[in-house]
Amino acid sequence: MVRPGCLSDVEACIVLAQNAWAESPVYSRIPLEPQLLLNRVLNDPSYVLFVSESEDGSLNGMFLGQLTRGLYTSDAGLIASNVLFYVLPHARRIAPMRLIAAFEKWAEDNDAAQIHLTTSGTTLRNIASNMRLFDALGYTLNGIQTHKVLK
């Protein structure tokens, strides 16, 4: 089951974020402040948090998203994009699709003109499978994200 995240989910979401960082060859080198991230998300209406629950009620995935204004033209409208999208390995068959569907509905309900989903450092080892998922859900590849640590 997927539902909006709430304050009582923070501890479990911190564990999920730590798992995402541990799996990432890029982000594992960057300090993670999940409490700071989740506090911002829970207190800023331009962000949304969805969580995926196992049958026993434990969280097995999370999707942090945000709304931003288009930067290139005045009529670009709102863009909904993911900030952090992570699902535990044992739940990666169904939960990702459900989390994206919930995010898409939220984006539509908030008048987003488009959705941008990325696969980056937290999922670097799963880029091909993420791209297959995004393609199956109607997304098209429109670039590649790169990363360089300066400090």
Side-chain angles (χ1 to χ4, degrees), residues 22-71:
E23 281 186 34
S24 168
V26 174
Y27 289 161
S28 61
R29 293 177 267 149
I30 301 169
L32 171 64
E33 296 184 51
Q35 187 69 47
L36 177 65
L37 175 65
L38 291 169
N39 282 339
R40 286 181 181 159
V41 168
L42 292 171
N43 293 310
D44 185 335
S46 67
Y47 286 88
V48 67
L49 169 64
F50 289 105
V51 296
S52 174
E53 290 182 327
S54 298
E55 288 182 15
D56 66 3
S58 63
L59 297 190
N60 60 24
M62 63 188 286
F63 189 110
L64 297 175
Q66 68 177 356
L67 281 176
T68 56
R69 286 254 162 240
L71 299 175

